[in-house]
């Protein structure tokens, strides 16, 4: 049970680090040679893109959201299978991307899942691989308080 909680906490810390644009915090959540896979739906290249190395992928993730008014990543259910010092899991998330549109603010909401692999290191559990899968998205007007 403690391992499951630690992995759930890891995914929550990931969401918070992205929302706060904390690249160093984000990098620390990944094994140094971790892989992050972005789907064609987000890259616009027609193929998945793999980022390698904790510093590289943390910088790329923060850069991808830095132009937005704000983000809010809400982590939902998570299924985890642990095998000693490694684990695999699937994490559901709703990612809110708030930006300034022509007639006010809008929220590009993305329902997504992460296929995750974890490794237990000297400092605790870290991501060794994170693959993002987009299920669907919608773009809606929102009100941002002053």
């Amino acid at each position: 049970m403690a391992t499951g909680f630690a992995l759930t906490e890891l995914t929550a810390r990931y969401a918070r680090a992205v929302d706060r644009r904390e690249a160093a915090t984000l990098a620390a959540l990944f094994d140094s040679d971790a892989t992050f896979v972005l789907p064609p739906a987000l890259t616009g290249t027609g193929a998945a893109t793999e980022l390698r190395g904790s510093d590289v992928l943390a910088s790329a993730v923060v850069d991808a959201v830095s132009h937005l008014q704000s983000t809010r990543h809400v982590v939902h259910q998570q299924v985890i299978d642990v095998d000693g010092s490694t684990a695999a899991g699937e994490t559901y998330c709703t990612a809110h991307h708030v930006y300034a549109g022509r007639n006010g603010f809008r929220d590009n909401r993305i329902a997504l899942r992460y296929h995750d692999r974890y490794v237990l290191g000297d400092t605790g559990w870290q991501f060794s691989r994170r693959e993002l899968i987009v299920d669907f998205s919608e773009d809606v007007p929102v009100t941002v308080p002053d």
Side-chain angles (χ1 to χ4, degrees), residues 49-123:
T49 299
E50 288 192 8
L51 305 171
R52 295 186 190 276
S54 58
D55 291 332
V56 169
L57 67 88
S59 179
V61 169
V62 170
D63 287 349
V65 298
S66 64
H67 69 284
L68 299 166
Q69 164 72 20
S70 63
T71 58
R72 182 173 181 199
H73 292 78
V74 182
V75 179
H76 304 290
Q77 73 266 20
Q78 187 176 35
V79 177
I80 301 167
D81 296 309
V82 180
D83 184 15
S85 62
T86 63
E90 184 174 40
T91 303
Y92 284 69
C93 176
T94 302
H96 296 266
H97 302 96
V98 177
Y99 66 96
R102 288 191 177 127
N103 297 314
F105 288 99
R106 300 191 61 82
D107 181 5
N108 181 245
R109 295 189 287 228
I110 304 173
L112 56 90
R113 292 172 287 130
Y114 293 99
H115 285 179
D116 293 323
R117 298 215 178 271
Y118 313 94
V119 62
L120 181 59
D122 294 338
T123 60

Side-chain angles (χ1 to χ4, degrees), residues 28-45:
L29 302 176
F30 286 86
D31 184 53
S32 62
D33 60 349
T35 303
F36 192 85
V37 182
L38 297 168
L42 293 182
T43 64
T45 63

